């Protein structure tokens, strides 16, 4: 269950916490949706062309690991 604080969305996955910045609700280009629909197309298709707005990067985020995996020491002198 994601938690939203202002423009930040906080998700917990398996071994990490992800912080993602959401679209700007005061953006004049997308009105807070994070995308702009390009309706001026040369060829008519069933789906409009969607552009990501500059106020949001859906692939950017901060990953904070929760569990640190400790490596076990090698006890063998020769592994083969």
């Amino acid at each position: 269950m994601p938690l939203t604080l202002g423009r930040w969305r906080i998700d917990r996955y398996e071994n990490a916490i992800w912080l993602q910045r959401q679209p700007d609700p005061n953006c004049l280009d997308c009105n807070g949706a994070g995308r702009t629909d390009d309706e001026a197309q040369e060829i008519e298709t069933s789906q409009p062309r969607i552009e990501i707005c500059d106020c949001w990067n859906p692939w950017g985020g901060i990953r904070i690991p929760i569990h640190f995996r400790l490596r076990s020491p090698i006890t063998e002198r020769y592994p083969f």
Side-chain angles (χ1 to χ4, degrees):
M1 182 170 131
L3 174 68
T4 304
L5 298 171
R7 285 181 65 184
W8 291 93
R9 178 179 173 174
I10 303 169
D11 290 323
R12 181 181 182 270
Y13 291 109
E14 295 175 359
N15 292 326
I17 295 175
W18 286 88
L19 300 173
Q20 295 175 331
R21 191 171 177 186
Q22 296 299 308
D24 185 9
N26 299 324
C27 181
L28 298 175
D29 295 332
C30 68
N31 296 324
R35 63 188 177 105
T36 56
D37 298 334
D38 186 15
E39 297 180 10
Q41 294 185 15
E42 298 174 4
I43 301 172
E44 292 186 20
T45 59
S46 61
Q47 296 178 346
R49 187 173 154 200
I50 296 174
E51 299 276 335
I52 300 296
C53 186
D54 293 332
C55 71
W56 179 46
N57 182 6
W59 300 282
I62 300 169
R63 181 183 180 271
I64 302 170
I66 296 174
H67 301 288
F68 296 100
R69 183 177 168 191
L70 299 175
R71 294 180 62 181
S72 60
I74 298 173
T75 55
E76 299 177 349
R77 184 168 183 157
Y78 300 105
F80 299 109

